[in-house]
PDB file of all heavy atoms in Angstrom:
ATOM      1  N   PRO A 671      62.239 101.597 187.627  1.00  0.00           N
ATOM      2  CA  PRO A 671      62.437 102.900 188.247  1.00  0.00           C
ATOM      3  C   PRO A 671      61.647 103.982 187.493  1.00  0.00           C
ATOM      4  O   PRO A 671      61.642 104.020 186.268  1.00  0.00           O
ATOM      5  CB  PRO A 671      63.944 103.138 188.120  1.00  0.00           C
ATOM      6  CG  PRO A 671      64.533 101.772 187.981  1.00  0.00           C
ATOM      7  CD  PRO A 671      63.509 100.971 187.221  1.00  0.00           C
ATOM      8  N   GLY A 672      60.989 104.852 188.240  1.00  0.00           N
ATOM      9  CA  GLY A 672      60.228 105.922 187.619  1.00  0.00           C
ATOM     10  C   GLY A 672      58.776 105.597 187.350  1.00  0.00           C
ATOM     11  O   GLY A 672      58.001 106.488 186.992  1.00  0.00           O
ATOM     12  N   ASP A 673      58.391 104.324 187.524  1.00  0.00           N
ATOM     13  CA  ASP A 673      56.997 103.939 187.331  1.00  0.00           C
ATOM     14  C   ASP A 673      56.146 104.634 188.392  1.00  0.00           C
ATOM     15  O   ASP A 673      56.348 104.440 189.598  1.00  0.00           O
ATOM     16  CB  ASP A 673      56.864 102.418 187.451  1.00  0.00           C
ATOM     17  CG  ASP A 673      55.460 101.912 187.161  1.00  0.00           C
ATOM     18  OD1 ASP A 673      54.520 102.723 187.130  1.00  0.00           O
ATOM     19  OD2 ASP A 673      55.310 100.687 186.966  1.00  0.00           O
ATOM     20  N   LEU A 674      55.186 105.441 187.961  1.00  0.00           N
ATOM     21  CA  LEU A 674      54.359 106.208 188.887  1.00  0.00           C
ATOM     22  C   LEU A 674      53.512 105.316 189.791  1.00  0.00           C
ATOM     23  O   LEU A 674      53.118 105.736 190.881  1.00  0.00           O
ATOM     24  CB  LEU A 674      53.447 107.166 188.120  1.00  0.00           C
ATOM     25  CG  LEU A 674      54.150 108.310 187.372  1.00  0.00           C
ATOM     26  CD1 LEU A 674      53.130 109.126 186.592  1.00  0.00           C
ATOM     27  CD2 LEU A 674      54.901 109.211 188.341  1.00  0.00           C
ATOM     28  N   SER A 675      53.226 104.092 189.350  1.00  0.00           N
ATOM     29  CA  SER A 675      52.401 103.197 190.165  1.00  0.00           C
ATOM     30  C   SER A 675      53.187 102.587 191.325  1.00  0.00           C
ATOM     31  O   SER A 675      52.641 101.794 192.099  1.00  0.00           O
ATOM     32  CB  SER A 675      51.796 102.090 189.297  1.00  0.00           C
ATOM     33  OG  SER A 675      52.788 101.180 188.858  1.00  0.00           O
ATOM     34  N   ASN A 676      54.463 102.960 191.465  1.00  0.00           N
ATOM     35  CA  ASN A 676      55.263 102.476 192.584  1.00  0.00           C
ATOM     36  C   ASN A 676      55.037 103.307 193.852  1.00  0.00           C
ATOM     37  O   ASN A 676      55.508 102.933 194.926  1.00  0.00           O
ATOM     38  CB  ASN A 676      56.761 102.528 192.251  1.00  0.00           C
ATOM     39  CG  ASN A 676      57.140 101.548 191.157  1.00  0.00           C
ATOM     40  OD1 ASN A 676      56.433 100.568 190.920  1.00  0.00           O
ATOM     41  ND2 ASN A 676      58.251 101.799 190.478  1.00  0.00           N
ATOM     42  N   HIS A 677      54.331 104.442 193.729  1.00  0.00           N
ATOM     43  CA  HIS A 677      54.204 105.362 194.857  1.00  0.00           C
ATOM     44  C   HIS A 677      52.921 105.117 195.648  1.00  0.00           C
ATOM     45  O   HIS A 677      51.818 105.318 195.137  1.00  0.00           O
ATOM     46  CB  HIS A 677      54.232 106.815 194.357  1.00  0.00           C
ATOM     47  CG  HIS A 677      55.545 107.212 193.749  1.00  0.00           C
ATOM     48  ND1 HIS A 677      56.661 107.497 194.503  1.00  0.00           N
ATOM     49  CD2 HIS A 677      55.923 107.359 192.456  1.00  0.00           C
ATOM     50  CE1 HIS A 677      57.678 107.799 193.707  1.00  0.00           C
ATOM     51  NE2 HIS A 677      57.250 107.724 192.457  1.00  0.00           N
ATOM     52  N   HIS A 678      53.088 104.731 196.904  1.00  0.00           N
ATOM     53  CA  HIS A 678      51.932 104.551 197.789  1.00  0.00           C
ATOM     54  C   HIS A 678      51.499 105.880 198.407  1.00  0.00           C
ATOM     55  O   HIS A 678      50.307 106.145 198.550  1.00  0.00           O
ATOM     56  CB  HIS A 678      52.274 103.556 198.888  1.00  0.00           C
ATOM     57  CG  HIS A 678      51.152 103.337 199.864  1.00  0.00           C
ATOM     58  ND1 HIS A 678      50.004 102.631 199.535  1.00  0.00           N
ATOM     59  CD2 HIS A 678      50.990 103.755 201.155  1.00  0.00           C
ATOM     60  CE1 HIS A 678      49.193 102.616 200.574  1.00  0.00           C
ATOM     61  NE2 HIS A 678      49.751 103.284 201.565  1.00  0.00           N
ATOM     62  N   LYS A 679      52.458 106.720 198.736  1.00  0.00           N
ATOM     63  CA  LYS A 679      52.153 108.002 199.358  1.00  0.00           C
ATOM     64  C   LYS A 679      51.628 108.978 198.310  1.00  0.00           C
ATOM     65  O   LYS A 679      52.273 109.202 197.278  1.00  0.00           O
ATOM     66  CB  LYS A 679      53.389 108.573 200.049  1.00  0.00           C
ATOM     67  CG  LYS A 679      53.863 107.735 201.242  1.00  0.00           C
ATOM     68  CD  LYS A 679      55.063 108.364 201.912  1.00  0.00           C
ATOM     69  CE  LYS A 679      55.500 107.548 203.128  1.00  0.00           C
ATOM     70  NZ  LYS A 679      56.689 108.143 203.787  1.00  0.00           N
ATOM     71  N   ILE A 680      50.469 109.552 198.579  1.00  0.00           N
ATOM     72  CA  ILE A 680      49.825 110.447 197.622  1.00  0.00           C
ATOM     73  C   ILE A 680      50.684 111.690 197.368  1.00  0.00           C
ATOM     74  O   ILE A 680      50.745 112.190 196.247  1.00  0.00           O
ATOM     75  CB  ILE A 680      48.421 110.854 198.114  1.00  0.00           C
ATOM     76  CG1 ILE A 680      47.570 109.612 198.385  1.00  0.00           C
ATOM     77  CG2 ILE A 680      47.736 111.756 197.095  1.00  0.00           C
ATOM     78  CD1 ILE A 680      47.432 108.668 197.223  1.00  0.00           C
ATOM     79  N   GLU A 681      51.361 112.165 198.388  1.00  0.00           N
ATOM     80  CA  GLU A 681      52.210 113.347 198.226  1.00  0.00           C
ATOM     81  C   GLU A 681      53.342 113.074 197.243  1.00  0.00           C
ATOM     82  O   GLU A 681      53.654 113.906 196.383  1.00  0.00           O
ATOM     83  CB  GLU A 681      52.780 113.782 199.576  1.00  0.00           C
ATOM     84  CG  GLU A 681      53.617 115.052 199.500  1.00  0.00           C
ATOM     85  CD  GLU A 681      54.133 115.500 200.858  1.00  0.00           C
ATOM     86  OE1 GLU A 681      53.716 114.914 201.890  1.00  0.00           O
ATOM     87  OE2 GLU A 681      54.953 116.437 200.886  1.00  0.00           O
ATOM     88  N   GLU A 682      53.958 111.899 197.349  1.00  0.00           N
ATOM     89  CA  GLU A 682      55.040 111.543 196.423  1.00  0.00           C
ATOM     90  C   GLU A 682      54.501 111.399 195.007  1.00  0.00           C
ATOM     91  O   GLU A 682      55.122 111.879 194.043  1.00  0.00           O
ATOM     92  CB  GLU A 682      55.708 110.242 196.871  1.00  0.00           C
ATOM     93  CG  GLU A 682      56.486 110.347 198.162  1.00  0.00           C
ATOM     94  CD  GLU A 682      57.092 109.017 198.572  1.00  0.00           C
ATOM     95  OE1 GLU A 682      56.846 108.005 197.861  1.00  0.00           O
ATOM     96  OE2 GLU A 682      57.798 108.977 199.596  1.00  0.00           O
ATOM     97  N   PHE A 683      53.368 110.724 194.866  1.00  0.00           N
ATOM     98  CA  PHE A 683      52.749 110.564 193.552  1.00  0.00           C
ATOM     99  C   PHE A 683      52.420 111.925 192.938  1.00  0.00           C
ATOM    100  O   PHE A 683      52.690 112.170 191.758  1.00  0.00           O
ATOM    101  CB  PHE A 683      51.480 109.723 193.681  1.00  0.00           C
ATOM    102  CG  PHE A 683      50.665 109.639 192.417  1.00  0.00           C
ATOM    103  CD1 PHE A 683      51.040 108.791 191.388  1.00  0.00           C
ATOM    104  CD2 PHE A 683      49.527 110.413 192.269  1.00  0.00           C
ATOM    105  CE1 PHE A 683      50.294 108.716 190.215  1.00  0.00           C
ATOM    106  CE2 PHE A 683      48.772 110.349 191.108  1.00  0.00           C
ATOM    107  CZ  PHE A 683      49.152 109.502 190.080  1.00  0.00           C
ATOM    108  N   SER A 684      51.882 112.833 193.736  1.00  0.00           N
ATOM    109  CA  SER A 684      51.498 114.153 193.246  1.00  0.00           C
ATOM    110  C   SER A 684      52.712 114.960 192.809  1.00  0.00           C
ATOM    111  O   SER A 684      52.654 115.712 191.825  1.00  0.00           O
ATOM    112  CB  SER A 684      50.722 114.911 194.329  1.00  0.00           C
ATOM    113  OG  SER A 684      49.560 114.198 194.701  1.00  0.00           O
ATOM    114  N   THR A 685      53.822 114.809 193.525  1.00  0.00           N
ATOM    115  CA  THR A 685      55.059 115.494 193.134  1.00  0.00           C
ATOM    116  C   THR A 685      55.535 115.027 191.767  1.00  0.00           C
ATOM    117  O   THR A 685      55.973 115.823 190.925  1.00  0.00           O
ATOM    118  CB  THR A 685      56.154 115.255 194.186  1.00  0.00           C
ATOM    119  OG1 THR A 685      55.722 115.782 195.451  1.00  0.00           O
ATOM    120  CG2 THR A 685      57.458 115.922 193.790  1.00  0.00           C
ATOM    121  N   GLU A 686      55.438 113.709 191.518  1.00  0.00           N
ATOM    122  CA  GLU A 686      55.814 113.174 190.209  1.00  0.00           C
ATOM    123  C   GLU A 686      54.862 113.683 189.122  1.00  0.00           C
ATOM    124  O   GLU A 686      55.271 114.005 188.009  1.00  0.00           O
ATOM    125  CB  GLU A 686      55.811 111.644 190.244  1.00  0.00           C
ATOM    126  CG  GLU A 686      56.788 111.026 191.227  1.00  0.00           C
ATOM    127  CD  GLU A 686      58.229 111.364 190.902  1.00  0.00           C
ATOM    128  OE1 GLU A 686      58.606 111.316 189.718  1.00  0.00           O
ATOM    129  OE2 GLU A 686      58.979 111.696 191.838  1.00  0.00           O
ATOM    130  N   MET A 687      53.572 113.749 189.443  1.00  0.00           N
ATOM    131  CA  MET A 687      52.591 114.242 188.475  1.00  0.00           C
ATOM    132  C   MET A 687      52.808 115.712 188.153  1.00  0.00           C
ATOM    133  O   MET A 687      52.453 116.177 187.061  1.00  0.00           O
ATOM    134  CB  MET A 687      51.176 114.017 189.004  1.00  0.00           C
ATOM    135  CG  MET A 687      50.692 112.576 188.914  1.00  0.00           C
ATOM    136  SD  MET A 687      50.701 111.907 187.215  1.00  0.00           S
ATOM    137  CE  MET A 687      49.543 113.012 186.399  1.00  0.00           C
ATOM    138  N   ALA A 688      53.391 116.471 189.082  1.00  0.00           N
ATOM    139  CA  ALA A 688      53.719 117.866 188.790  1.00  0.00           C
ATOM    140  C   ALA A 688      54.725 117.949 187.647  1.00  0.00           C
ATOM    141  O   ALA A 688      54.623 118.814 186.759  1.00  0.00           O
ATOM    142  CB  ALA A 688      54.277 118.545 190.040  1.00  0.00           C
ATOM    143  N   GLN A 689      55.695 117.029 187.629  1.00  0.00           N
ATOM    144  CA  GLN A 689      56.663 116.991 186.529  1.00  0.00           C
ATOM    145  C   GLN A 689      55.982 116.608 185.222  1.00  0.00           C
ATOM    146  O   GLN A 689      56.307 117.152 184.157  1.00  0.00           O
ATOM    147  CB  GLN A 689      57.779 116.007 186.853  1.00  0.00           C
ATOM    148  CG  GLN A 689      58.617 116.377 188.062  1.00  0.00           C
ATOM    149  CD  GLN A 689      59.746 115.391 188.286  1.00  0.00           C
ATOM    150  OE1 GLN A 689      60.501 115.048 187.371  1.00  0.00           O
ATOM    151  NE2 GLN A 689      59.873 114.905 189.512  1.00  0.00           N
ATOM    152  N   VAL A 690      55.040 115.662 185.294  1.00  0.00           N
ATOM    153  CA  VAL A 690      54.271 115.271 184.109  1.00  0.00           C
ATOM    154  C   VAL A 690      53.516 116.480 183.555  1.00  0.00           C
ATOM    155  O   VAL A 690      53.489 116.722 182.341  1.00  0.00           O
ATOM    156  CB  VAL A 690      53.292 114.137 184.451  1.00  0.00           C
ATOM    157  CG1 VAL A 690      52.387 113.824 183.257  1.00  0.00           C
ATOM    158  CG2 VAL A 690      54.049 112.879 184.865  1.00  0.00           C
ATOM    159  N   ALA A 691      52.904 117.254 184.449  1.00  0.00           N
ATOM    160  CA  ALA A 691      52.131 118.427 184.035  1.00  0.00           C
ATOM    161  C   ALA A 691      53.015 119.454 183.331  1.00  0.00           C
ATOM    162  O   ALA A 691      52.633 120.014 182.291  1.00  0.00           O
ATOM    163  CB  ALA A 691      51.453 119.053 185.254  1.00  0.00           C
ATOM    164  N   HIS A 692      54.192 119.711 183.879  1.00  0.00           N
ATOM    165  CA  HIS A 692      55.096 120.684 183.263  1.00  0.00           C
ATOM    166  C   HIS A 692      55.562 120.214 181.883  1.00  0.00           C
ATOM    167  O   HIS A 692      55.683 121.020 180.952  1.00  0.00           O
ATOM    168  CB  HIS A 692      56.297 120.938 184.181  1.00  0.00           C
ATOM    169  CG  HIS A 692      55.996 121.865 185.320  1.00  0.00           C
ATOM    170  ND1 HIS A 692      55.914 123.232 185.164  1.00  0.00           N
ATOM    171  CD2 HIS A 692      55.737 121.617 186.633  1.00  0.00           C
ATOM    172  CE1 HIS A 692      55.633 123.805 186.327  1.00  0.00           C
ATOM    173  NE2 HIS A 692      55.512 122.850 187.227  1.00  0.00           N
ATOM    174  N   SER A 693      55.815 118.919 181.737  1.00  0.00           N
ATOM    175  CA  SER A 693      56.235 118.384 180.444  1.00  0.00           C
ATOM    176  C   SER A 693      55.113 118.492 179.416  1.00  0.00           C
ATOM    177  O   SER A 693      55.343 118.858 178.263  1.00  0.00           O
ATOM    178  CB  SER A 693      56.671 116.926 180.594  1.00  0.00           C
ATOM    179  OG  SER A 693      57.865 116.832 181.324  1.00  0.00           O
ATOM    180  N   ALA A 694      53.898 118.176 179.834  1.00  0.00           N
ATOM    181  CA  ALA A 694      52.753 118.286 178.933  1.00  0.00           C
ATOM    182  C   ALA A 694      52.545 119.725 178.508  1.00  0.00           C
ATOM    183  O   ALA A 694      52.241 120.008 177.334  1.00  0.00           O
ATOM    184  CB  ALA A 694      51.498 117.744 179.618  1.00  0.00           C
ATOM    185  N   TYR A 695      52.706 120.640 179.434  1.00  0.00           N
ATOM    186  CA  TYR A 695      52.546 122.064 179.129  1.00  0.00           C
ATOM    187  C   TYR A 695      53.598 122.508 178.106  1.00  0.00           C
ATOM    188  O   TYR A 695      53.304 123.267 177.180  1.00  0.00           O
ATOM    189  CB  TYR A 695      52.684 122.883 180.402  1.00  0.00           C
ATOM    190  CG  TYR A 695      52.294 124.335 180.260  1.00  0.00           C
ATOM    191  CD1 TYR A 695      50.984 124.752 180.478  1.00  0.00           C
ATOM    192  CD2 TYR A 695      53.237 125.300 179.906  1.00  0.00           C
ATOM    193  CE1 TYR A 695      50.626 126.077 180.349  1.00  0.00           C
ATOM    194  CE2 TYR A 695      52.889 126.629 179.767  1.00  0.00           C
ATOM    195  CZ  TYR A 695      51.573 127.018 179.993  1.00  0.00           C
ATOM    196  OH  TYR A 695      51.224 128.332 179.847  1.00  0.00           O
ATOM    197  N   ARG A 696      54.812 122.011 178.272  1.00  0.00           N
ATOM    198  CA  ARG A 696      55.901 122.398 177.368  1.00  0.00           C
ATOM    199  C   ARG A 696      55.632 121.997 175.925  1.00  0.00           C
ATOM    200  O   ARG A 696      55.821 122.793 175.004  1.00  0.00           O
ATOM    201  CB  ARG A 696      57.220 121.763 177.842  1.00  0.00           C
ATOM    202  CG  ARG A 696      58.397 122.032 176.900  1.00  0.00           C
ATOM    203  CD  ARG A 696      59.658 121.323 177.354  1.00  0.00           C
ATOM    204  NE  ARG A 696      59.587 119.872 177.246  1.00  0.00           N
ATOM    205  CZ  ARG A 696      59.769 119.200 176.107  1.00  0.00           C
ATOM    206  NH1 ARG A 696      59.983 119.837 174.958  1.00  0.00           N
ATOM    207  NH2 ARG A 696      59.703 117.876 176.100  1.00  0.00           N
ATOM    208  N   VAL A 697      55.160 120.772 175.714  1.00  0.00           N
ATOM    209  CA  VAL A 697      55.033 120.269 174.345  1.00  0.00           C
ATOM    210  C   VAL A 697      53.728 120.681 173.668  1.00  0.00           C
ATOM    211  O   VAL A 697      53.600 120.608 172.445  1.00  0.00           O
ATOM    212  CB  VAL A 697      55.169 118.732 174.304  1.00  0.00           C
ATOM    213  CG1 VAL A 697      56.505 118.301 174.904  1.00  0.00           C
ATOM    214  CG2 VAL A 697      54.008 118.048 175.016  1.00  0.00           C
TER     215      VAL A 697
END
């Protein structure tokens, strides 16, 4: 669960990457 490579839909993948971006920005 949570593996980004599980997402076929680009919109879903991009939504998950938005969370990655916010976390990277924070640290």
Side-chain angles (χ1 to χ4, degrees):
D673 184 346
L674 293 177
S675 70
N676 293 338
H677 295 284
H678 179 72
K679 294 182 178 179
I680 304 304
E681 183 178 352
E682 292 178 357
F683 173 78
S684 301
T685 299
E686 299 298 317
M687 284 302 298
Q689 297 183 49
V690 174
H692 281 282
S693 291
Y695 190 89
R696 176 183 68 80
V697 303

